[in-house]
Amino acid sequence: MRIGIIGAGQLGQMLGFAARDLKVECLFLDPSISPPARVCGDVIQRPFDDARALAELAKYCDVITYEFENVPVSALQRIEGTVPIYPPVAALRHAQDRLDEKRLFERLGIPLPAFRAVDAREDIAAAAEVLGLPMVIKTRRLGYDGKGQFVIRKAGDIDEAWGSLGAQALIAEQWVPFAYEVSSIGVRNVDGEVRLYALSHNVHKDGILRSSRSPLDAPEFAERAAQYVRRLLEHLDYVGVLALELFVKGAELLANEFAPRVHNSGHWTIEGAATSQFENHLRAVLNLPLGSTANRGHAGMINLIGEIPSAARAIDGGHLHDYGKTPRAGRKLGHITVVGETADDRDALLDIISRSVT
Ligand code: AMP
């Protein structure tokens, strides 16, 4: 059995490690030189939309998946029908366009911050009238880790927002003064078996995920978030892992976005759950029975961004994952996971480790 994975970054690498344990071979497609997943299988070093490379992937693999959501839909359409592609291309299409994604949430009764489409400068002022300020402008496509966003705090910011982002299709979104952010990760296999992981409590800085903790002691939110993820999985006839990011504001749970792939906020599942999100993603797309998503304790994860300090290599009580990437400011280079018997144990460990590595 061989699986084709589009993208050979750290998510591809972690999928590759899980594949090895399932005795499944991986063949990656990625244009970068020396990507992290090269240690787990052969990499076809070609652009993501290279027709010949895609045909090769389709020819040699039993199933195709992807590790990032900016894979061009047109590339997948080239091979659709010749080999199963999971998650389904329709899910990818929704996730690539924030307007489309938000309309999908609305259709499925998943609450979300109020929003407006922005196609012209005047639409920003009109959106501000309805949504109020602050409000956030986001590019409809190709945004990640807070890139392609502008927070408008006063009417005078509109020109600057339009100047920096106006060349692309945009949306305006109500600013949510959230208490905290959570994500719910679900998985569905080809036969329709569904499992959900415990909710993660996530902390972002400058739009980039810094840490996750799971489980979160908020059963009512966990139940509601799980329902929303189930709705998405069923509606999209989804296969694979899906992560839904949400804001918690008072008693409200508001959807921000979903990722049709394994997710950074689920890295803790490698040590902290009975079956990792990576193994379950592979099980789902290979139509194997899914593994238990139960927590093995109280897990926490810290991202290592920009550099891996030497202290990270000498930590006690945590698991370091070094993706083998060249250091660069703002780049995710690795992460550390801890698992405690209690939430207090986990938090104490995370505190010690974050002080020594950040
Ligand atoms: P995104 O790329 O949409 O996931 O945004 C990255 C991060 O920016 C989120 O995880 C939030 O921390 C913050 N953010 C995005 N949208 C909003 C919003 N409407 N209100 C408040 N914070 C937001």
Side-chain angles (χ1 to χ4, degrees), residues 287-299:
N287 203 24
L288 297 171
L290 299 177
S292 161
T293 47
N295 280 55
R296 282 202 229 159
H298 292 259

Side-chain angles (χ1 to χ4, degrees), residues 98 136 138 146 149 173-176 178 181 204 207 247 256-257:
R98 288 187 192 270
V136 54
K138 300 181 179 177
Q149 299 193 11
E173 196 178 298
Q174 197 166 52
W175 182 256
V176 182
F178 56 78
E181 295 180 79
H204 292 79
F247 301 126
N256 177 30
E257 61 181 3

Side-chain angles (χ1 to χ4, degrees), residues 264-311:
N264 194 170
S265 67
H267 286 2
W268 61 266
T269 60
I270 297 176
E271 290 86 8
T275 313
S276 77
Q277 63 165 344
F278 303 99
E279 178 174 336
N280 261 338
H281 181 76
L282 298 173
R283 288 181 166 275
V285 305
L286 296 165
N287 203 24
L288 297 171
L290 299 177
S292 161
T293 47
N295 280 55
R296 282 202 229 159
H298 292 259
M301 187 273 327
I302 304 173
N303 266 341
L304 298 170
I305 297 166
E307 60 161 347
I308 298 187
S310 51

